[in-house]
Amino acid sequence: YAAVGAPVSDGSAYRRGDLFFWKGHVAMAVDDERIIHANGFRMAVTYEGISEALQRISEQEGPGAFLGVRRL
């Protein structure tokens, strides 16, 4: 995770191609509001709202599961 791209600071607008990392997983932003990823929660590759995904990850995996966002 830390060797990929540059960190995106909190409060920055997300961009297409930003990579979202959490424990054992990575997703890619398709725009400033949605990610695409292989979603074990739905058992399919899905588009998901960024804020909804981050909230779900925090609730399911606990604090610290979300590792951050990196930009290539």
Side-chain angles (χ1 to χ4, degrees):
Y1 152 76
V4 176
V8 175
S9 61
D10 289 343
S12 290
Y14 299 122
R15 293 187 205 161
R16 180 183 181 108
D18 286 350
L19 299 175
F20 290 71
F21 293 89
W22 58 95
K23 192 171 89 176
H25 199 76
V26 64
M28 184 175 67
V30 294
D31 58 30
D32 63 338
E33 295 182 359
R34 296 177 302 148
I35 56 174
I36 187 169
H37 63 117
N39 186 330
F41 180 70
R42 293 190 174 85
M43 297 305 291
V45 175
T46 60
Y47 291 96
E48 187 173 9
I50 292 171
S51 58
E52 292 88 351
L54 296 179
Q55 181 176 347
R56 180 180 54 76
I57 293 161
S58 177
E59 289 171 359
Q60 288 179 343
E61 305 291 330
F66 180 67
L67 301 174
V69 181
R70 309 286 289 188
R71 184 167 293 151
L72 299 178

